[in-house]
Amino acid sequence: MVGGATPPHEVRRGVLLGFAAYGIWGLFPLYFDALKPAGPWEILANRILWTMLFCALVLLVRRDFDWVGPLLRRPRLLAGTAVAAVLIAINWVVYVAAVTSGNTSEAALGYFLNPLVTVALGVVVLGERLRRLQWVAVGIGVAAGIYLAVTGGRVPWIALTLALSFALYGLTKKKVGVSLEALHGLTVETVVLAPVAVVALLVVGRQGGLAFGEHGAWHTSLLVLSGVVTALPLLCFAAAARRIPLVTIGLIQFITPVMQLLCAVLLLGEHMPAERWVGFGFVWLALIVLTIDSLGSLRANRAAQRDLPVNDCPS
């Protein structure tokens, strides 16, 4: 609804879509681990091309192409979608590289840091003013990053890149999502990235490293299905972002890194040094503070709306 509150049934639908998106993403370490020995660039290319074909097939079945002409006449919207495409491509390739190289736990750290980065972007990009507890949460998050860099002997680039790229992607989708349906946006994103995917396959192929079709029907099927597996949570996420507040999205998204961390430690056999557990503890503390602040702010807003005189309520 433009200019009004989202209907309750749409909010409920948005919450369910959010849980679906983050639940599927939480299982991604197992899926991408099964795609080895394919490398991250080959997996990225397959995700882009098969997702584009999946979206095209859905659009063809629905005969849904009326939006293309108006989109081409809106260069700012088209540019915003192209920016989102670049950001999600960076996120994809870094994440896959992390999983296939045995760094799933650091990738999980990136998604734990994502809410804190989102809050920081609100200050830097949108000029928002943080509440006291938000400052505390961001400060703890910064301390956690410094601690992990010092104890680990290096800056946790994987975690920081994943957190920043997806926070920027979410911000971009929030800006353009109202004007562009989820399926349409994902279609444009993959079309923009298709030339990159083709070049990546050509380069990997010339180096003799293509795994597609070389490791049995099951492995090949998993690469082909990466389009559907990629599209479904992104469509759910984009649809959820249009229906529920960022606060709600921020709370739901904790599901993904928890599931990823459990997959890394319990199922993929990754070793977690004690120093990293301490760093995760700092981040979890920051997220608890941020959650308390978000819930408190939500309750205060609802109470303020209930106390408004009838004549002052927006029509």
Side-chain angles (χ1 to χ4, degrees):
M1 275 179 75
V2 178
T6 305
H9 70 278
E10 284 295 309
V11 173
R12 288 193 294 272
R13 185 180 180 189
V15 170
L16 292 175
L17 288 167
F19 273 106
Y22 287 108
I24 294 172
W25 279 325
L27 296 174
F28 265 16
L30 303 180
Y31 189 87
F32 292 124
D33 185 72
L35 294 181
K36 293 188 297 189
W41 287 103
E42 182 179 359
I43 295 174
L44 172 69
N46 274 277
R47 292 183 74 181
I48 292 169
L49 295 177
W50 292 114
T51 301
M52 182 179 67
L53 290 175
F54 172 75
C55 291
L57 179 62
V58 174
L59 290 174
L60 186 62
V61 170
R62 293 171 51 178
R63 297 183 180 180
D64 182 15
F65 296 100
D66 294 340
W67 56 274
V68 176
L71 174 64
L72 295 176
R73 293 190 292 271
R74 299 181 64 182
R76 290 186 63 181
L77 179 58
L78 192 60
T81 307
V83 169
V86 173
L87 290 169
I88 200 63
I90 293 171
N91 186 273
W92 285 353
V93 73
V94 172
Y95 181 79
V96 172
V99 172
T100 55
S101 63
N103 290 294
T104 303
S105 59
E106 186 172 340
L109 175 63
Y111 290 109
F112 276 122
L113 289 172
N114 178 254
L116 301 175
V117 175
T118 300
V119 171
L121 283 178
V123 176
V124 176
V125 179
L126 303 178
E128 297 177 353
R129 298 184 63 181
L130 297 187
R131 296 181 293 272
R132 184 175 60 182
L133 285 181
Q134 289 177 318
W135 277 117
V136 172
V138 171
I140 296 173
V142 171
I146 295 173
Y147 173 83
L148 288 167
V150 172
T151 58
R154 64 178 181 85
V155 176
W157 290 115
I158 292 174
L160 293 176
T161 302
L162 289 174
L164 183 59
S165 61
F166 198 72
L168 287 171
Y169 177 75
L171 178 65
T172 305
K173 294 295 287 186
K174 190 69 177 177
K175 292 291 187 181
V176 304
V178 175
S179 305
L180 200 60
E181 187 179 318
L183 177 62
H184 301 164
L186 182 57
T187 302
V188 177
E189 289 168 18
T190 52
V191 169
V192 169
L193 294 173
V196 177
V198 172
V199 170
L201 288 178
L202 290 175
V203 172
V204 174
R206 290 193 63 177
Q207 295 175 348
L210 282 179
F212 189 88
E214 298 294 326
H215 300 277
W218 176 245
H219 184 266
T220 302
S221 299
L222 288 178
L223 282 171
V224 172
L225 288 173
S226 65
V228 177
V229 172
T230 295
L232 285 180
L234 277 171
L235 292 174
C236 289
F237 170 76
R242 298 172 60 190
R243 291 174 168 85
I244 57 179
L246 280 177
V247 170
T248 307
I249 292 177
L251 297 176
I252 296 174
Q253 71 183 2
F254 295 157
I255 295 172
T256 294
V258 169
M259 292 177 65
Q260 291 176 352
L261 183 60
L262 291 175
C263 287
V265 176
L266 300 180
L267 300 177
L268 299 180
E270 288 190 16
H271 172 65
M272 280 277 287
E275 296 82 3
R276 184 169 289 182
W277 280 116
V278 173
F280 268 79
F282 276 118
V283 175
W284 291 333
L285 177 60
L287 294 177
I288 292 171
V289 173
L290 192 63
T291 301
I292 292 172
D293 174 81
S294 298
L295 293 175
S297 175
L298 189 61
R299 284 195 296 267
N301 288 337
R302 287 177 176 173
Q305 288 177 357
R306 286 197 302 267
D307 293 339
L308 276 176
V310 175
N311 292 339
D312 292 339
C313 291
S315 57

Coordinates of all heavy atoms in Angstrom, one line a residue, residues 17-96:
L17 N 8.0 -15.3 4.4 CA 8.9 -15.3 3.3 C 10.4 -15.0 3.8 O 11.3 -15.6 3.3 CB 8.5 -14.2 2.3 CG 7.3 -14.5 1.4 CD1 6.8 -13.2 0.7 CD2 7.6 -15.6 0.4
G18 N 10.5 -14.2 4.8 CA 11.8 -13.9 5.4 C 12.4 -15.2 6.0 O 13.5 -15.5 5.8
F19 N 11.6 -15.9 6.8 CA 12.0 -17.1 7.4 C 12.5 -18.1 6.3 O 13.5 -18.8 6.4 CB 11.0 -17.8 8.3 CG 11.0 -17.3 9.7 CD1 10.0 -16.4 10.1 CD2 12.0 -17.6 10.6 CE1 10.0 -15.9 11.4 CE2 12.0 -17.2 11.9 CZ 11.0 -16.3 12.3
A20 N 11.7 -18.2 5.2 CA 12.0 -19.1 4.1 C 13.4 -18.8 3.5 O 14.3 -19.6 3.3 CB 10.9 -19.1 3.1
A21 N 13.6 -17.5 3.2 CA 14.8 -17.0 2.6 C 16.0 -17.3 3.5 O 17.0 -17.9 3.0 CB 14.7 -15.5 2.3
Y22 N 16.0 -16.9 4.7 CA 17.1 -17.1 5.6 C 17.3 -18.5 6.0 O 18.5 -18.9 6.3 CB 17.0 -16.2 6.9 CG 17.2 -14.7 6.5 CD1 16.1 -13.8 6.5 CD2 18.5 -14.2 6.2 CE1 16.3 -12.5 6.2 CE2 18.7 -12.9 5.9 CZ 17.6 -12.0 5.9 OH 17.8 -10.7 5.6
G23 N 16.3 -19.3 6.0 CA 16.4 -20.8 6.3 C 17.2 -21.5 5.2 O 18.1 -22.3 5.4
I24 N 16.8 -21.1 3.9 CA 17.5 -21.8 2.8 C 18.9 -21.3 2.8 O 19.9 -22.1 2.6 CB 16.8 -21.4 1.5 CG1 15.4 -22.0 1.4 CG2 17.6 -21.8 0.3 CD1 14.5 -21.5 0.3
W25 N 19.2 -20.0 3.0 CA 20.6 -19.5 3.0 C 21.4 -20.2 4.1 O 22.6 -20.4 4.0 CB 20.6 -18.0 3.2 CG 20.4 -17.3 2.0 CD1 20.7 -17.6 0.7 CD2 19.6 -16.0 1.8 NE1 20.3 -16.7 -0.2 CE2 19.6 -15.7 0.5 CE3 19.0 -15.2 2.7 CZ2 19.0 -14.5 0.0 CZ3 18.4 -14.0 2.3 CH2 18.4 -13.7 0.9
G26 N 20.7 -20.6 5.2 CA 21.5 -21.2 6.3 C 22.0 -22.6 5.9 O 23.0 -23.1 6.5
L27 N 21.4 -23.2 4.9 CA 21.8 -24.6 4.5 C 22.8 -24.5 3.3 O 23.2 -25.5 2.8 CB 20.6 -25.4 4.1 CG 19.6 -25.7 5.2 CD1 18.4 -26.4 4.6 CD2 20.3 -26.6 6.3
F28 N 23.1 -23.3 2.8 CA 24.0 -23.1 1.7 C 25.3 -23.8 1.8 O 25.9 -24.3 0.8 CB 24.1 -21.7 1.3 CG 23.1 -21.2 0.2 CD1 22.0 -22.0 -0.1 CD2 23.3 -20.0 -0.4 CE1 21.1 -21.5 -1.1 CE2 22.5 -19.6 -1.4 CZ 21.3 -20.4 -1.7
P29 N 26.0 -23.8 3.0 CA 27.3 -24.4 3.1 C 27.3 -25.9 2.7 O 28.2 -26.3 2.0 CB 27.6 -24.3 4.6 CG 26.9 -23.1 5.1 CD 25.6 -23.1 4.3
L30 N 26.2 -26.6 3.0 CA 26.2 -28.0 2.6 C 26.0 -28.1 1.1 O 26.6 -29.0 0.5 CB 25.0 -28.7 3.3 CG 25.0 -28.6 4.8 CD1 23.8 -29.4 5.4 CD2 26.3 -29.2 5.4
Y31 N 25.2 -27.2 0.5 CA 25.0 -27.3 -0.9 C 26.3 -27.0 -1.7 O 26.7 -27.7 -2.6 CB 23.9 -26.3 -1.3 CG 23.5 -26.5 -2.8 CD1 22.5 -27.4 -3.1 CD2 24.0 -25.7 -3.8 CE1 22.1 -27.6 -4.4 CE2 23.6 -25.9 -5.1 CZ 22.7 -26.8 -5.4 OH 22.3 -27.0 -6.7
F32 N 27.0 -25.9 -1.3 CA 28.2 -25.5 -2.1 C 29.3 -26.4 -1.8 O 30.2 -26.6 -2.7 CB 28.5 -24.1 -1.8 CG 27.5 -23.1 -2.3 CD1 26.9 -22.2 -1.5 CD2 27.2 -23.1 -3.7 CE1 25.9 -21.3 -2.0 CE2 26.2 -22.2 -4.1 CZ 25.6 -21.3 -3.3
D33 N 29.4 -27.0 -0.6 CA 30.4 -28.0 -0.4 C 30.3 -29.2 -1.3 O 31.2 -29.8 -1.7 CB 30.4 -28.5 1.1 CG 31.5 -29.4 1.5 OD1 32.7 -29.0 1.6 OD2 31.2 -30.6 1.6
A34 N 29.0 -29.6 -1.6 CA 28.7 -30.7 -2.5 C 29.1 -30.4 -4.0 O 29.2 -31.3 -4.8 CB 27.2 -31.1 -2.4
L35 N 29.3 -29.1 -4.3 CA 29.6 -28.7 -5.7 C 31.1 -28.8 -5.9 O 31.6 -28.7 -7.1 CB 29.2 -27.3 -6.0 CG 27.7 -27.0 -6.0 CD1 27.4 -25.6 -6.3 CD2 27.0 -27.9 -7.0
K36 N 32.0 -29.1 -4.9 CA 33.4 -29.3 -5.2 C 33.6 -30.5 -6.0 O 32.8 -31.5 -5.9 CB 34.1 -29.4 -3.8 CG 34.1 -28.1 -3.0 CD 35.0 -28.2 -1.8 CE 34.6 -29.3 -0.8 NZ 35.4 -29.2 0.5
P37 N 34.5 -30.6 -6.9 CA 35.7 -29.7 -7.1 C 35.5 -28.5 -8.0 O 36.5 -27.8 -8.3 CB 36.7 -30.6 -7.7 CG 35.9 -31.5 -8.5 CD 34.6 -31.7 -7.8
A38 N 34.3 -28.1 -8.3 CA 34.1 -26.9 -9.1 C 34.6 -25.7 -8.2 O 34.3 -25.7 -7.0 CB 32.6 -26.7 -9.4
G39 N 35.2 -24.8 -8.9 CA 35.8 -23.6 -8.2 C 34.7 -22.5 -8.1 O 33.7 -22.6 -8.7
P40 N 35.1 -21.5 -7.3 CA 34.1 -20.4 -7.0 C 33.6 -19.7 -8.2 O 32.5 -19.3 -8.3 CB 34.8 -19.5 -6.0 CG 36.3 -19.8 -6.1 CD 36.3 -21.3 -6.5
W41 N 34.5 -19.4 -9.2 CA 34.1 -18.7 -10.4 C 33.2 -19.5 -11.3 O 32.3 -19.0 -11.9 CB 35.3 -18.2 -11.2 CG 36.0 -17.1 -10.5 CD1 37.2 -17.1 -9.8 CD2 35.6 -15.7 -10.4 NE1 37.5 -15.9 -9.2 CE2 36.5 -15.0 -9.6 CE3 34.5 -15.0 -10.9 CZ2 36.4 -13.6 -9.3 CZ3 34.3 -13.7 -10.6 CH2 35.3 -13.0 -9.9
E42 N 33.5 -20.8 -11.4 CA 32.6 -21.7 -12.2 C 31.2 -21.8 -11.5 O 30.2 -21.7 -12.2 CB 33.2 -23.1 -12.3 CG 32.3 -24.0 -13.2 CD 32.9 -25.4 -13.4 OE1 34.0 -25.6 -12.9 OE2 32.2 -26.2 -14.1
I43 N 31.2 -21.9 -10.2 CA 29.9 -22.0 -9.5 C 29.2 -20.6 -9.6 O 28.0 -20.6 -9.8 CB 30.2 -22.3 -8.0 CG1 30.8 -23.7 -7.8 CG2 28.9 -22.2 -7.2 CD1 31.2 -24.0 -6.4
L44 N 29.9 -19.5 -9.5 CA 29.3 -18.2 -9.7 C 28.6 -18.1 -11.1 O 27.5 -17.7 -11.2 CB 30.3 -17.1 -9.5 CG 29.8 -15.7 -9.9 CD1 28.7 -15.2 -8.9 CD2 30.9 -14.7 -10.0
A45 N 29.4 -18.5 -12.1 CA 28.8 -18.4 -13.5 C 27.6 -19.3 -13.6 O 26.6 -18.9 -14.3 CB 29.9 -18.9 -14.5
N46 N 27.6 -20.5 -13.1 CA 26.5 -21.4 -13.2 C 25.3 -20.8 -12.4 O 24.1 -20.9 -12.9 CB 26.8 -22.8 -12.6 CG 27.5 -23.7 -13.6 OD1 26.8 -24.3 -14.4 ND2 28.8 -23.7 -13.6
R47 N 25.5 -20.2 -11.3 CA 24.4 -19.6 -10.5 C 23.8 -18.5 -11.3 O 22.5 -18.4 -11.4 CB 24.9 -19.1 -9.2 CG 25.4 -20.1 -8.2 CD 25.8 -19.5 -6.9 NE 24.6 -19.0 -6.1 CZ 24.7 -18.4 -5.0 NH1 25.9 -18.1 -4.4 NH2 23.6 -18.0 -4.3
I48 N 24.6 -17.7 -12.0 CA 24.0 -16.6 -12.7 C 23.2 -17.0 -13.9 O 22.1 -16.6 -14.1 CB 25.2 -15.6 -13.2 CG1 25.8 -14.9 -12.0 CG2 24.7 -14.6 -14.2 CD1 27.1 -14.2 -12.3
L49 N 23.8 -17.9 -14.7 CA 23.2 -18.3 -16.0 C 22.0 -19.2 -15.8 O 20.9 -19.0 -16.4 CB 24.2 -19.1 -16.9 CG 25.4 -18.2 -17.3 CD1 26.4 -19.1 -18.1 CD2 24.9 -17.0 -18.2
W50 N 22.0 -20.1 -14.8 CA 20.9 -21.0 -14.6 C 19.7 -20.2 -13.9 O 18.6 -20.5 -14.1 CB 21.3 -22.2 -13.8 CG 22.1 -23.2 -14.5 CD1 23.4 -23.5 -14.3 CD2 21.8 -23.9 -15.7 NE1 23.9 -24.4 -15.2 CE2 22.9 -24.7 -16.1 CE3 20.6 -24.0 -16.5 CZ2 22.9 -25.5 -17.2 CZ3 20.6 -24.8 -17.6 CH2 21.7 -25.6 -17.9
T51 N 20.1 -19.2 -13.0 CA 19.1 -18.4 -12.4 C 18.4 -17.5 -13.5 O 17.2 -17.4 -13.5 CB 19.7 -17.5 -11.4 OG1 20.4 -18.3 -10.4 CG2 18.7 -16.6 -10.7
M52 N 19.2 -17.0 -14.4 CA 18.6 -16.2 -15.5 C 17.6 -17.0 -16.3 O 16.5 -16.6 -16.6 CB 19.7 -15.6 -16.4 CG 19.2 -14.8 -17.5 SD 20.5 -14.1 -18.6 CE 21.1 -15.6 -19.3
L53 N 18.0 -18.3 -16.6 CA 17.1 -19.1 -17.4 C 15.9 -19.5 -16.6 O 14.8 -19.6 -17.2 CB 17.9 -20.4 -17.8 CG 19.0 -20.2 -18.9 CD1 19.8 -21.5 -19.1 CD2 18.4 -19.7 -20.2
F54 N 16.0 -19.7 -15.4 CA 14.9 -20.0 -14.5 C 13.9 -18.9 -14.5 O 12.7 -19.1 -14.7 CB 15.4 -20.4 -13.1 CG 14.2 -20.5 -12.1 CD1 13.4 -21.7 -12.1 CD2 14.0 -19.5 -11.2 CE1 12.4 -21.8 -11.2 CE2 13.0 -19.7 -10.2 CZ 12.2 -20.8 -10.2
C55 N 14.4 -17.7 -14.3 CA 13.6 -16.5 -14.3 C 12.9 -16.3 -15.6 O 11.7 -15.9 -15.7 CB 14.4 -15.3 -13.9 SG 15.0 -15.2 -12.2
A56 N 13.6 -16.5 -16.7 CA 13.1 -16.3 -18.0 C 11.9 -17.3 -18.3 O 10.9 -17.0 -18.9 CB 14.2 -16.5 -19.1
L57 N 12.1 -18.5 -17.8 CA 11.1 -19.6 -18.0 C 9.8 -19.2 -17.2 O 8.7 -19.3 -17.7 CB 11.6 -20.9 -17.5 CG 10.7 -22.1 -17.6 CD1 10.3 -22.3 -19.0 CD2 11.3 -23.3 -17.0
V58 N 10.0 -18.7 -16.0 CA 8.8 -18.3 -15.2 C 8.1 -17.1 -15.9 O 6.9 -17.1 -16.0 CB 9.3 -17.9 -13.8 CG1 8.1 -17.3 -13.0 CG2 9.8 -19.1 -13.0
L59 N 8.9 -16.2 -16.4 CA 8.3 -15.0 -17.0 C 7.5 -15.5 -18.3 O 6.5 -14.9 -18.7 CB 9.3 -14.0 -17.4 CG 10.0 -13.2 -16.2 CD1 11.1 -12.4 -16.7 CD2 8.9 -12.4 -15.5
L60 N 8.1 -16.4 -19.0 CA 7.5 -16.9 -20.3 C 6.2 -17.6 -19.9 O 5.2 -17.4 -20.6 CB 8.5 -17.9 -21.0 CG 8.1 -18.4 -22.3 CD1 7.9 -17.2 -23.3 CD2 9.0 -19.4 -22.9
V61 N 6.2 -18.4 -18.9 CA 5.0 -19.1 -18.5 C 3.9 -18.1 -18.1 O 2.7 -18.3 -18.5 CB 5.3 -20.1 -17.4 CG1 3.9 -20.7 -16.8 CG2 6.1 -21.3 -17.9
R62 N 4.3 -17.1 -17.4 CA 3.3 -16.1 -16.9 C 3.0 -15.0 -18.0 O 2.1 -14.2 -17.8 CB 3.9 -15.4 -15.7 CG 4.0 -16.2 -14.5 CD 4.8 -15.5 -13.4 NE 4.3 -14.2 -13.1 CZ 4.8 -13.4 -12.1 NH1 5.8 -13.8 -11.4 NH2 4.3 -12.2 -11.9
R63 N 3.8 -15.1 -19.1 CA 3.7 -14.1 -20.2 C 3.8 -12.7 -19.6 O 3.0 -11.8 -19.8 CB 2.3 -14.2 -20.9 CG 2.2 -15.6 -21.7 CD 0.9 -15.7 -22.5 NE 0.8 -16.9 -23.1 CZ -0.2 -17.3 -23.9 NH1 -1.2 -16.5 -24.1 NH2 -0.2 -18.5 -24.5
D64 N 4.8 -12.5 -18.8 CA 5.0 -11.3 -18.0 C 6.2 -10.5 -18.5 O 7.3 -10.6 -17.9 CB 5.2 -11.7 -16.5 CG 5.3 -10.5 -15.6 OD1 5.0 -9.4 -16.0 OD2 5.8 -10.7 -14.4
F65 N 6.0 -9.7 -19.5 CA 7.0 -8.9 -20.1 C 6.6 -7.5 -20.3 O 7.4 -6.7 -20.8 CB 7.5 -9.5 -21.5 CG 8.1 -10.9 -21.4 CD1 7.3 -12.0 -21.7 CD2 9.4 -11.1 -21.0 CE1 7.8 -13.3 -21.6 CE2 9.9 -12.4 -20.9 CZ 9.1 -13.5 -21.2
D66 N 5.5 -7.1 -19.8 CA 5.0 -5.7 -20.0 C 5.9 -4.7 -19.2 O 5.9 -3.5 -19.6 CB 3.5 -5.6 -19.5 CG 2.6 -6.4 -20.4 OD1 3.0 -6.7 -21.6 OD2 1.5 -6.7 -20.0
W67 N 6.6 -5.2 -18.2 CA 7.4 -4.3 -17.4 C 8.7 -3.9 -18.0 O 9.3 -2.9 -17.6 CB 7.7 -5.0 -16.0 CG 8.3 -6.3 -16.2 CD1 7.7 -7.5 -16.4 CD2 9.8 -6.6 -16.2 NE1 8.7 -8.5 -16.6 CE2 9.9 -8.0 -16.4 CE3 10.9 -5.8 -16.0 CZ2 11.2 -8.6 -16.4 CZ3 12.1 -6.4 -16.1 CH2 12.3 -7.7 -16.3
V68 N 9.1 -4.6 -19.0 CA 10.5 -4.4 -19.6 C 10.6 -3.0 -20.2 O 11.5 -2.2 -20.0 CB 10.8 -5.5 -20.7 CG1 12.2 -5.2 -21.3 CG2 10.8 -6.8 -20.0
G69 N 9.6 -2.6 -21.1 CA 9.6 -1.3 -21.7 C 9.6 -0.1 -20.7 O 10.5 0.7 -20.8
P70 N 8.7 -0.1 -19.8 CA 8.8 1.0 -18.8 C 10.1 1.0 -18.0 O 10.6 2.1 -17.7 CB 7.6 0.7 -17.9 CG 6.6 -0.1 -18.7 CD 7.5 -0.9 -19.6
L71 N 10.7 -0.1 -17.7 CA 12.0 -0.2 -17.0 C 13.1 0.5 -17.8 O 13.9 1.2 -17.3 CB 12.3 -1.6 -16.7 CG 13.7 -1.8 -16.0 CD1 13.8 -1.1 -14.7 CD2 14.1 -3.3 -15.9
L72 N 13.1 0.2 -19.1 CA 14.1 0.7 -20.0 C 14.0 2.3 -20.1 O 15.0 2.9 -20.4 CB 14.1 0.1 -21.4 CG 14.4 -1.4 -21.4 CD1 14.2 -1.9 -22.8 CD2 15.8 -1.7 -20.9
R73 N 12.8 2.8 -19.8 CA 12.6 4.2 -19.8 C 12.9 4.9 -18.5 O 12.7 6.1 -18.3 CB 11.2 4.6 -20.3 CG 10.9 4.2 -21.8 CD 9.6 4.7 -22.3 NE 8.5 4.1 -21.6 CZ 7.9 3.0 -22.1 NH1 8.3 2.4 -23.2 NH2 6.8 2.5 -21.5
R74 N 13.4 4.1 -17.5 CA 13.7 4.6 -16.2 C 15.2 4.3 -15.9 O 15.5 3.3 -15.2 CB 12.8 4.0 -15.1 CG 11.3 4.3 -15.4 CD 10.4 3.7 -14.3 NE 10.7 4.3 -13.0 CZ 10.1 3.9 -11.8 NH1 9.2 2.9 -11.9 NH2 10.4 4.4 -10.7
P75 N 16.1 5.1 -16.4 CA 17.5 4.8 -16.3 C 18.0 4.7 -14.8 O 18.9 3.9 -14.5 CB 18.2 6.0 -17.0 CG 17.1 7.0 -17.1 CD 15.8 6.3 -17.2
R76 N 17.4 5.6 -13.9 CA 17.8 5.5 -12.5 C 17.5 4.2 -11.9 O 18.3 3.6 -11.1 CB 17.2 6.7 -11.7 CG 17.8 8.1 -12.1 CD 17.3 9.2 -11.3 NE 17.7 9.0 -9.9 CZ 17.3 9.8 -8.9 NH1 16.5 10.8 -9.1 NH2 17.7 9.6 -7.7
L77 N 16.3 3.7 -12.1 CA 15.9 2.4 -11.6 C 16.7 1.3 -12.2 O 17.1 0.4 -11.5 CB 14.4 2.2 -11.9 CG 13.8 0.8 -11.4 CD1 14.0 0.7 -9.9 CD2 12.3 0.7 -11.8
L78 N 17.0 1.4 -13.5 CA 17.8 0.4 -14.1 C 19.2 0.4 -13.5 O 19.8 -0.7 -13.3 CB 17.9 0.6 -15.6 CG 18.4 -0.4 -16.5 CD1 17.6 -1.7 -16.4 CD2 18.4 0.0 -18.0
A79 N 19.8 1.6 -13.3 CA 21.1 1.7 -12.7 C 21.1 1.1 -11.3 O 22.1 0.4 -10.9 CB 21.5 3.2 -12.7
G80 N 20.1 1.4 -10.5 CA 20.0 0.9 -9.2 C 20.0 -0.7 -9.2 O 20.7 -1.3 -8.3
T81 N 19.3 -1.2 -10.1 CA 19.2 -2.7 -10.2 C 20.6 -3.3 -10.6 O 21.0 -4.3 -10.2 CB 18.1 -3.1 -11.2 OG1 16.9 -2.5 -10.8 CG2 17.9 -4.6 -11.2
A82 N 21.2 -2.6 -11.5 CA 22.6 -3.0 -11.9 C 23.6 -3.0 -10.8 O 24.4 -3.9 -10.6 CB 23.1 -2.1 -13.1
V83 N 23.5 -1.9 -9.9 CA 24.3 -1.9 -8.7 C 24.0 -3.0 -7.8 O 25.0 -3.7 -7.3 CB 24.1 -0.5 -8.0 CG1 24.8 -0.5 -6.6 CG2 24.6 0.6 -8.8
A84 N 22.8 -3.4 -7.6 CA 22.4 -4.5 -6.8 C 23.0 -5.8 -7.4 O 23.5 -6.7 -6.6 CB 20.9 -4.6 -6.7
A85 N 23.0 -5.9 -8.7 CA 23.6 -7.1 -9.4 C 25.1 -7.2 -9.0 O 25.5 -8.3 -8.7 CB 23.4 -7.0 -10.9
V86 N 25.8 -6.2 -9.1 CA 27.2 -6.2 -8.8 C 27.5 -6.6 -7.4 O 28.4 -7.4 -7.1 CB 27.9 -4.9 -9.2 CG1 29.3 -4.8 -8.7 CG2 27.8 -4.6 -10.6
L87 N 26.7 -6.0 -6.5 CA 26.9 -6.3 -5.1 C 26.6 -7.8 -4.7 O 27.3 -8.4 -4.0 CB 26.0 -5.4 -4.2 CG 26.3 -3.9 -4.2 CD1 25.2 -3.1 -3.6 CD2 27.6 -3.7 -3.5
I88 N 25.5 -8.3 -5.3 CA 25.2 -9.7 -5.0 C 26.2 -10.7 -5.6 O 26.5 -11.7 -5.1 CB 23.7 -10.0 -5.4 CG1 23.3 -11.3 -4.6 CG2 23.6 -10.2 -6.9 CD1 23.2 -11.1 -3.1
A89 N 26.8 -10.3 -6.8 CA 27.8 -11.1 -7.4 C 29.0 -11.2 -6.5 O 29.6 -12.3 -6.4 CB 28.1 -10.6 -8.8
I90 N 29.4 -10.0 -6.0 CA 30.6 -10.0 -5.1 C 30.3 -10.9 -3.9 O 31.2 -11.7 -3.5 CB 30.9 -8.6 -4.6 CG1 31.4 -7.7 -5.8 CG2 31.9 -8.6 -3.5 CD1 31.5 -6.3 -5.5
N91 N 29.1 -10.8 -3.3 CA 28.7 -11.6 -2.2 C 28.8 -13.1 -2.5 O 29.3 -13.9 -1.8 CB 27.3 -11.2 -1.7 CG 26.9 -11.9 -0.4 OD1 26.4 -13.0 -0.5 ND2 27.2 -11.2 0.7
W92 N 28.2 -13.5 -3.7 CA 28.2 -14.9 -4.1 C 29.6 -15.5 -4.2 O 29.8 -16.5 -3.7 CB 27.5 -15.0 -5.4 CG 26.0 -14.8 -5.4 CD1 25.2 -14.7 -4.2 CD2 25.1 -14.8 -6.5 NE1 23.9 -14.6 -4.6 CE2 23.8 -14.6 -5.9 CE3 25.2 -14.8 -7.8 CZ2 22.6 -14.5 -6.8 CZ3 24.1 -14.7 -8.7 CH2 22.8 -14.6 -8.1
V93 N 30.4 -14.8 -4.9 CA 31.7 -15.4 -5.2 C 32.6 -15.5 -4.0 O 33.3 -16.5 -3.8 CB 32.5 -14.7 -6.4 CG1 33.0 -13.3 -5.9 CG2 33.6 -15.5 -7.0
V94 N 32.5 -14.5 -3.1 CA 33.3 -14.5 -1.9 C 32.8 -15.6 -1.0 O 33.5 -16.4 -0.3 CB 33.3 -13.2 -1.2 CG1 33.9 -13.3 0.2 CG2 34.0 -12.1 -2.0
Y95 N 31.4 -15.8 -0.9 CA 30.9 -16.8 0.0 C 31.2 -18.2 -0.5 O 31.6 -19.0 0.3 CB 29.3 -16.6 0.0 CG 28.7 -17.6 1.0 CD1 28.7 -17.5 2.3 CD2 28.1 -18.8 0.4 CE1 28.2 -18.4 3.2 CE2 27.5 -19.7 1.3 CZ 27.6 -19.5 2.7 OH 27.0 -20.5 3.5
V96 N 31.1 -18.4 -1.8 CA 31.4 -19.8 -2.3 C 32.9 -20.1 -2.1 O 33.2 -21.2 -1.8 CB 31.0 -19.8 -3.8 CG1 31.5 -21.1 -4.4 CG2 29.5 -19.7 -4.0

